[in-house]
């Protein structure tokens, strides 16, 4: 019998297989802050702790930090710094894009168009609005998760206030044709609905040009690109009428009151600067790793089903597979035991696991939706880590084989 | 103002009936009272008149003290009381203070959840709160008789407390005044305790704790009857994750309110389950699994000098809980298997789970996901020879030994 001292490592004790290496393959959930991000934040916390609204020297220094960060964010999406409003993260940006639009438009704009594979921060918001009397059109996706721009256009009506489409699907990595949707919407002329893009899973890494693409509002988050949690931003096109979500002291041009989260903003700025330097190069490397990972998974388990596009129009850091017959959560824990951290699209509640609604929206079976695993890489992922992941997956599935449901 | 102190009266029931064991049981309860109040400086505990008295708990800890004392197995009820010296003026002051406080509580509705002796369930606050005083004079040196003192005190309260009336038949506040040789105790509340027997007097037991609704309640009932419980959880990592285990830890924290010495043992169970999946006929999976649990629990019981195994099993709730099934499962145990919930309806279990505070935690997700393990058509009336046949390919001694060796005593406080 073993006395257990303290709680130990998160995967220590029973779970430990004597492995020290940790392979973090859950970067679409959150990323590890980059050293330059940590340093930028430390400096603000320890030295430049002033309130940007203060008139003295400390305040001026802080307000300069916020302005520089705003520039760094803007430069990644082709916006002007005055069009960036910092928020508490992607969820707040998404909520605000929708509520702010509806509040600033008249009573006749009561229709919202979005897709069936949006993030819960969009889904839950439009569901709430639907219950409150708004009309919502959910445009379906094809088997790879793509929204058809023509279908989006056809859903638009006279009373459509907003079209909201995500840039990168967070579970399967599909890159939605936002540029094309923006172009089609622009062709509708001045009475066109607003176009919002939830870019949280693509921001910083993928090419985005809000001006050329005809985007009015775009949501961003820092912690998906090695920045800190609790900070994000909304791009609000200049000239767009937008009501605040949070009222108060008039910070952020009166659009988002509350003393600025300066350490977070500094961290987000540092992360953006980092990506601005080597974005294309990192993506190229990730595309190679993604291919290797997909090949490795297929070799480890030929029955595995890839969700999302194979290679074109897909975020090169997201790989999503189903392993029919297995339970996603068990694979996750079996990988965890071997030091590899991933996520499932489904959550096990009580005796019944809930299938991922995204996988179901692709027209896949419940069995596939229950056995899904998302591997998500970052700029720090190495080829060796991909190999370790594949090896761990092989061992995990072997371990779980007796538990496979098809044996029943 | 006279010197009036605070005290708690702790009543215990059955212990008094237990003949030769009585003094042993009383000293056990006294130890548990002292332990429950160990961090409350200045408190003292003594026994008299078939009760325990606690004095000297700092005022700010009073609510916490009631909370803790009313959870001790063996305690029938706890009354917070004011203690006055045996002088008529002091006793009057205590009564006035008590009735004022009680009337204030009634007006604010803060007595909800506690049993107020004689109080009605719903009180119309527009009406004047009513009171009644009951005097018991056991210190016969006191100059006034009980009826005389009753009248004196009632009159004093009526004069001093505004907006109050007397109702001797159905009062809102039923004030008890006990004149003892050590002083006079004035109280009006009785907070019920669990009853039962003091912790540990019945010996030690191993509780199979799953994280569901039933097993924590079974554990509570065992604790209430004086059994010092240690919990054993079978953990199926990586089929379930750390959250399934954390949930059990949370439940143990709640059970520690009743048994502060409860230990949690975690047994790695995946290997046994995997072997069952591979080597046993599907219909018998659950029966064989329960038998393996019994074997492992028996080994733990032996090591920990426990006398019985407790489970949350209940007759007929699921297919594996028929009498036939329970008999076959119990056959694998070297110790008596006690099932406190055996004749409970689900609703009764849920009600008790809510009362003891484990219900919400039990209902959290991260249940042990045995969706894979439970066969579509489990055998409902297994026969022992069938089951022995079903498990014949298992290396039972090897699997049990490995599982027992892997058992960890898991920290409850720091996690």
């Amino acid at each position: 019998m073993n006395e257990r001292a303290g709680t130990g490592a998160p995967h220590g004790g029973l779970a430990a297989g004597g492995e020290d290496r940790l392979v973090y393959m859950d970067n679409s959930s959150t990323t590890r802050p980059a050293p330059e991000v940590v340093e930028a934040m430390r400096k603000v916390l320890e030295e430049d702790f002033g309130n940007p609204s203060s008139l003295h020297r400390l305040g001026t220094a802080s307000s300069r930090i916020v302005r520089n960060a705003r520039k760094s964010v803007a430069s990644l999406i082709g916006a002007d710094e005055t069009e960036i409003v910092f928020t508490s993260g992607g969820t707040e940006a998404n909520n605000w894009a929708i509520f702010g639009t509806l509040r600033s438009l008249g009573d006749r704009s009561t229709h919202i168009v979005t897709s069936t594979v949006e993030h819960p921060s969009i889904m839950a918001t439009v569901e709430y609005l639907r219950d409150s009397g708004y009309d919502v059109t959910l445009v379906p996706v094809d088997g790879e998760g793509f929204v058809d721009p023509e279908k989006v256009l056809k859903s638009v009506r006279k009373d459509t206030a907003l079209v909201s489409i995500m840039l990168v699907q967070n579970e399967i990595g599909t890159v939605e044709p936002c540029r094309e949707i923006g172009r089609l919407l622009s062709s509708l002329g001045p009475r066109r609905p607003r176009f919002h893009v939830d870019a949280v899973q693509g921001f910083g890494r993928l090419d985005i040009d809000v001006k050329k693409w005809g985007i009015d509002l775009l949501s961003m988050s820092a912690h998906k690109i090695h920045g800190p949690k609790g900070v994000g931003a909304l791009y609000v096109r200049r000239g767009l009428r937008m009501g605040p979500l949070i009222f108060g002291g008039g910070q952020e041009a009166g659009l988002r009151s509350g003393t600025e989260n300066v350490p977070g903003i500094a961290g987000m700025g540092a992360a953006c600067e980092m990506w601005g330097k080597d974005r294309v190069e990192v993506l190229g490397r990730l595309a190679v790793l993604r291919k290797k990972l997909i090949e490795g998974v297929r070799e480890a388990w030929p029955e595995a089903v890839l969700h999302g596009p194979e290679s074109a129009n897909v975020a090169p850091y997201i790989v999503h597979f189903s392993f029919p017959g297995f339970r996603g959560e068990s694979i996750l824990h079996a990988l965890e035991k071997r030091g590899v951290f991933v996520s499932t699209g489904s959550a096990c509640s009580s005796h019944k696991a809930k299938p991922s609604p995204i996988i179901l929206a692709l027209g896949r079976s419940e069995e596939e939706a229950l056995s899904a695993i998302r591997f998500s890489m970052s700029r720090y992922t190495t080829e060796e880590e991909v190999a370790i992941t594949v090896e761990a997956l092989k061992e995990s599935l072997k371990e779980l084989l007796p538990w496979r449901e098809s044996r029943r | 103002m006279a010197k009036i102190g605070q005290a708690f009266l702790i009543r215990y029931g059955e212990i008094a009936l237990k003949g030769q064991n009585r003094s042993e049981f009383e000293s056990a309860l006294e130890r548990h009272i002292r332990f429950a109040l160990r961090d409350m400086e200045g408190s003292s505990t003594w026994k008299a008149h078939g009760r325990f008295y606690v004095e000297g708990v700092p005022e700010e800890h009073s609510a916490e003290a009631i909370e803790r004392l009313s959870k001790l197995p063996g305690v029938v009820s706890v009354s917070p009381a004011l203690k006055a010296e045996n002088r008529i003026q002091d006793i009057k002051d205590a009564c006035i203070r008590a009735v004022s406080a009680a009337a204030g509580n009634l007006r604010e509705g803060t007595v909800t959840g506690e049993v107020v002796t004689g109080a009605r369930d719903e009180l119309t606050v527009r009406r004047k709160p009513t009171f009644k005083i009951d005097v018991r004079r056991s210190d016969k040196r006191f100059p006034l008789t009980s009826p005389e003192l009753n009248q004196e005190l009632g009159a004093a309260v009526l004069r001093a407390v505004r907006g109050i009336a007397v109702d001797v038949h159905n009062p809102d506040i039923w004030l008890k005044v006990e004149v003892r040789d050590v002083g006079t105790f004035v109280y009006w509340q009785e907070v019920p305790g669990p009853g039962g027997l003091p912790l540990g007097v019945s010996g030690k037991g191993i509780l199979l704790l799953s994280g569901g609704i039933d097993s924590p309640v079974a554990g509570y009932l065992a604790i209430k009857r004086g059994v010092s419980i240690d919990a054993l959880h079978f953990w199926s990592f990586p089929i379930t994750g750390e959250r399934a285990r954390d949930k059990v830890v949370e439940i143990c924290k709640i059970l520690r309110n009743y048994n502060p010495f409860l230990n949690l043992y975690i047994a790695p169970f995946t290997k046994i389950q995997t072997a069952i999946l591979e080597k046993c006929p599907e219909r018998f999976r659950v029966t064989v699994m329960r038998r393996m649990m019994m074997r492992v629990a028996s080994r733990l019981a032996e090591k920990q000098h426990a006398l019985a195994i407790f489970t949350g099993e209940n007759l007929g709730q699921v297919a594996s809980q028929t009498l036939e099934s329970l008999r076959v499962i119990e056959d694998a145990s070297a110790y008596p298997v006690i099932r406190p919930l055996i004749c409970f309806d689900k609703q009764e279990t849920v009600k008790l789970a809510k009362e003891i505070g484990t219900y919400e935690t039990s209902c959290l997700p991260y249940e042990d996901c045995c969706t894979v393990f439970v066969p579509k058509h489990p055998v409902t009336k297994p026969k022992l020879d069938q089951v022995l046949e079903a498990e014949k390919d298992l290396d039972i001694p090897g699997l049990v030994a490995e599982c027992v060796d892997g058992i960890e005593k898991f920290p409850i406080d720091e996690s």
Side-chain angles (χ1 to χ4, degrees), chain A residues 37-52:
Chain A
V37 168
V38 175
E39 173 53 24
M41 294 180 74
R42 185 207 60 78
K43 191 163 178 299
V44 170
L45 288 166
E46 286 185 357
E47 298 163 28
D48 306 316
F49 56 85
N51 186 327

Side-chain angles (χ1 to χ4, degrees), chain B residues 268-283:
Chain B
F269 203 48
T270 320
K271 194 151 184 192
I272 288 178
Q273 286 179 301
T274 305
I276 294 171
L277 283 171
E278 284 174 337
K279 294 187 175 155
C280 300
E282 186 179 317
R283 291 170 60 228

